[in-house]
Amino acid sequence: MKYHSTSIILLLIFPALITSCMSNGGNTPPRIPRPPHGLSDKEPGSQAYDQDAFLGHDQAEEFNTLPREESKRNLALLVKKIDTNGDEAVSNSELIVWINKTHIRYITSTSDIHFTDLDNDFDGLVSWTEYDSKTYGFVDSEMYEIEDEQHQELGYLRARDERRWKVADTDSDGSLTNTEFRAFIYPEEFTHTRPNYARETMNQIDMDNDQYVNFEEYINDLLTEKDQNGHPDWVDAEELRFKEVRDANGDGKLDLDEVTAWLFPLFSEVESEATHLISMSDQNMDGELDLKEILDNHDLFAGSKATEWGEALKSEL
């Protein structure tokens, strides 16, 4: 599914936002760039996605600058860290713990960067005024010409952010601590902000405003721009999943509880990724990964700098 974002520092992406507003036509709220949610912003199922999930986005990029043999050496050192019981095998549970730590480390560092940028008086708190001024101040400025439709859309985003702010502000003092700010940026990661996030997501998908998500609305949310003009093979499988899994009460549409179950499944993305990595690498089918199995599938877990010889091979194919 698409992640339904909050607006993080629009000042930095103002030109992209205005383009989004102009092409949107005022019918639905624009989706605007922000730090990626989930384990990666890469295509699920791709090696880049798996590498981000396993290493974290920043460390995955570092590995991509290393020669292949050095990348393998560093990966071997990481495997020792993941193997917490020292039995020379990485179990599913150890992999889940590792991927979860990697994910938490990434969202924490991303949130900290934005928090520091917004905390103008360095008091360890960000007020709504500080956030609103830096994020939406351009809306009130005479420096920019913003059409009425764009004003309306930006007003929607501003109001939505203010609602999110109040939900994340657990002590209701009008300002967010670093931890509260993290819940504001990543509302799907925190129990107390998930209900509001689920409601927002449902409202954005529910194009006919009947307080339900039908299959057409559901599939439109999953389609990428590339898919819009065709009928991808996966649509039929997704229709079956909608009927047999998503629509728990069988009434042909999703209510808020069913949307919430879709957004936050019991079998989490972290667990799913751990299972995927093991299934792709477990050569002896024992349900665990030893060092050789991981290094034999190096490209699944970590990238490396392309060598001249490697690039030459590619050009010959």
Side-chain angles (χ1 to χ4, degrees), residues 49-291:
Y49 180 96
D50 292 331
Q51 291 165 8
D52 273 9
F54 181 74
L55 295 170
H57 175 75
D58 294 339
Q59 196 163 10
E61 296 225 327
E62 287 179 23
F63 267 75
N64 284 330
T65 68
L66 301 176
R68 188 172 184 81
E69 289 308 310
E70 186 177 350
S71 176
K72 281 192 170 185
R73 285 195 297 272
N74 287 352
L75 180 58
L77 293 174
L78 278 182
V79 172
K80 289 183 179 180
K81 287 185 178 182
I82 300 169
D83 177 23
T84 53
N85 65 5
D87 67 351
E88 298 188 348
V90 173
S91 65
N92 185 268
S93 59
E94 286 172 329
L95 198 50
I96 287 171
V97 169
W98 173 261
I99 294 172
N100 196 50
K101 281 183 178 178
T102 298
H103 180 54
I104 291 171
R105 183 177 69 242
Y106 178 70
I107 67 172
T108 298
S109 64
T110 303
S111 172
D112 287 351
I113 290 169
H114 290 302
F115 185 87
T116 301
D117 184 69
L118 290 163
D119 184 15
N120 295 324
D121 53 11
F122 306 104
D123 64 350
L125 295 169
V126 174
S127 68
W128 168 253
T129 301
E130 285 176 311
Y131 174 81
D132 183 61
S133 174
K134 193 154 193 177
T135 308
Y136 293 104
F138 70 87
V139 177
D140 305 320
S141 170
E142 295 181 358
M143 291 176 60
Y144 303 103
E145 291 185 9
I146 305 177
E147 296 178 359
D148 290 342
E149 286 182 354
Q150 296 165 10
H151 261 296
Q152 184 177 355
E153 290 167 346
L154 289 165
Y156 167 88
L157 293 172
R158 200 175 203 171
R160 186 188 64 179
D161 270 8
E162 189 168 12
R163 285 193 302 273
R164 286 189 177 186
W165 191 274
K166 290 176 180 176
V167 172
D169 182 15
T170 53
D171 58 7
S172 302
D173 66 350
S175 296
L176 301 187
T177 63
N178 203 329
T179 302
E180 289 173 329
F181 186 74
R182 203 168 298 142
F184 169 69
I185 294 184
Y186 294 100
E188 77 283 9
E189 298 289 342
F190 295 83
T191 304
H192 68 288
T193 51
R194 281 182 171 184
N196 182 63
Y197 177 79
R199 170 62 71 182
E200 287 177 358
T201 301
M202 183 169 180
N203 288 344
Q204 190 165 18
I205 300 172
D206 176 24
M207 302 305 294
D208 60 8
N209 298 314
D210 66 350
Q211 302 302 305
Y212 294 97
V213 173
N214 59 40
F215 177 69
E216 183 181 355
E217 292 166 335
Y218 171 82
I219 212 68
N220 282 341
D221 185 65
L222 298 177
L223 289 171
T224 64
E225 254 183 66
K226 184 175 65 177
D227 296 328
Q228 293 293 337
N229 296 322
H231 185 85
D233 295 338
W234 56 264
V235 170
D236 293 334
E238 201 59 48
E239 183 173 9
L240 189 63
R241 185 177 290 111
F242 180 89
K243 292 176 179 177
E244 296 186 355
V245 179
R246 308 290 187 218
D247 182 17
N249 63 10
D251 65 354
K253 54 194 177 185
L254 307 186
D255 58 25
L256 182 58
D257 289 340
E258 289 165 332
V259 169
T260 302
W262 168 32
L263 294 173
F264 312 116
L266 294 176
F267 191 70
S268 71
E269 190 175 358
V270 171
E271 293 168 315
S272 178
E273 180 64 16
T275 300
H276 164 70
L277 291 174
I278 290 177
S279 69
M280 295 292 289
S281 312
D282 186 13
Q283 296 164 351
N284 63 9
M285 305 296 288
D286 65 350
E288 298 182 327
L289 300 180
D290 58 31
L291 179 59

Side-chain angles (χ1 to χ4, degrees), residues 9-23 30-33 135 138 144-146 150 154:
I9 312 185
L10 296 183
L11 182 62
L12 301 179
I13 56 171
F14 176 69
L17 175 65
I18 293 302
T19 300
S20 170
C21 289
M22 291 175 69
S23 63
R31 292 187 176 90
I32 53 182
T135 308
F138 70 87
Y144 303 103
E145 291 185 9
I146 305 177
Q150 296 165 10
L154 289 165

